[in-house]
Amino acid sequence: MRETITRALRRQRVTAAVAVALGLLWGVVAGWTARIGGPAALLMLLPLLALGSSLLPVFGRSGTTELRVDERERAFFVPPRRRPSFRCVILGFLAYQVVYHPVASRDELWWVYPSIAGPLAVLLAVALWRRVPEVALTPTGIAAGDPLRHVRVPWEALDPAAMARPPRAGALQLPVLRPELVRRGGIVRRRQVALENWDLDVAPDLLAGAIAHYAAHREHRAAIGTLEEYARLRRALAGGG
């Protein structure tokens, strides 16, 4: 599991660095063309198109793959998808905003956009450097997170009776019965516990079914992370007992 997540983090770091470089470069180019005017000024629209297209996966098709099994670390885990995260595109857009307005603007308020985009870009870059989207089911509970937040939810904190609800688009809402057991961290924190699945390489229904199964069946939790238990879990979710 650690090797897979480490490789994903390396890819994300490279993508984030490229996004910053392209954003800064395009900000300079678009800023100068905006000063010149004419059709070339339309170059400033390309970052907006890139930002909009990056958000399409959030509303698009979810993953379709299986949970991964790590017998050494005793976990069923989910790595991020291999495609670039929409957060990296947002980072590039913020970098673009940092340089575009100082280059293109002729008014005295040119500093407003860079002063907002600059700190946000630094904050997002640090977050993308440190963590990737991931979920792990272990004998003790659920460990999940993304670049901006992470959470640990013991199985005892969940309400098994409320786990039958299907996941809503883009996220799996976990019904927490004992919030005092939940441990949260990261830059952004929420009262509700939701596993956002648009960046995860797994079928959302499978992840939701596995969590609901172990929330309701204490006797199977100790075997999480073994191939035999995963085979039994898939039979149980398929209705085979």
Side-chain angles (χ1 to χ4, degrees):
M1 178 173 71
R2 285 300 100 196
E3 292 84 356
T4 301
I5 299 302
T6 298
R7 287 195 298 269
L9 183 58
R10 291 197 193 103
R11 290 195 301 269
Q12 181 171 273
R13 288 174 174 177
V14 171
T15 303
V18 171
V20 170
L22 290 178
L24 294 174
L25 177 62
W26 203 257
V28 172
V29 172
W32 278 109
T33 55
R35 280 180 174 269
I36 297 172
L42 294 177
L43 290 173
M44 63 179 293
L45 297 178
L46 291 180
L48 293 175
L49 294 176
L51 181 63
S53 64
S54 73
L55 296 176
L56 291 179
V58 174
F59 307 103
R61 190 176 66 177
S62 301
T64 58
T65 58
E66 296 279 329
L67 297 171
R68 278 68 162 181
V69 180
D70 188 325
E71 293 193 288
R72 184 177 60 184
E73 297 192 32
R74 296 300 301 274
F76 300 147
F77 73 100
V78 182
R81 296 191 188 191
R82 295 184 66 89
R83 70 187 183 196
S85 170
F86 71 94
R87 297 180 182 88
C88 291
V89 181
I90 293 175
L91 176 61
F93 183 76
L94 290 173
Y96 163 85
Q97 293 290 334
V98 168
V99 297
Y100 170 77
H101 294 280
V103 174
S105 181
R106 296 183 177 90
D107 60 55
E108 60 184 17
L109 296 178
W110 62 267
W111 53 270
V112 173
Y113 283 100
S115 65
I116 296 173
L120 290 176
V122 171
L123 191 66
L124 183 55
V126 171
L128 289 169
W129 196 263
R130 296 180 61 186
R131 185 180 291 272
V132 295
E134 60 176 311
V135 174
L137 309 185
T138 70
T140 59
I142 306 164
D146 59 45
L148 297 179
R149 65 183 69 87
H150 55 272
V151 64
R152 290 185 177 274
V153 184
W155 295 115
E156 293 77 11
L158 297 177
D159 181 5
M163 289 297 300
R165 293 177 297 180
R168 62 181 176 86
L172 169 62
Q173 189 75 38
L174 297 183
V176 175
L177 188 63
R178 301 180 61 188
E180 72 276 8
L181 298 180
V182 178
R183 297 292 176 263
R184 296 176 174 86
I187 299 172
V188 179
R189 302 190 185 189
R190 297 175 178 174
R191 292 190 62 184
Q192 295 181 330
V193 180
L195 307 183
E196 296 175 348
N197 54 49
W198 49 66
D199 262 345
L200 296 176
D201 192 17
V202 69
D205 290 341
L206 173 58
L207 179 60
I211 293 175
H213 181 83
Y214 291 116
H217 297 278
R218 177 191 299 268
E219 68 276 12
H220 297 309
R221 297 172 188 168
I224 292 177
T226 64
L227 291 171
E228 294 80 4
E229 173 58 20
Y230 189 66
R232 191 206 60 77
L233 172 67
R234 294 300 279 128
R235 292 194 301 271
L237 295 181

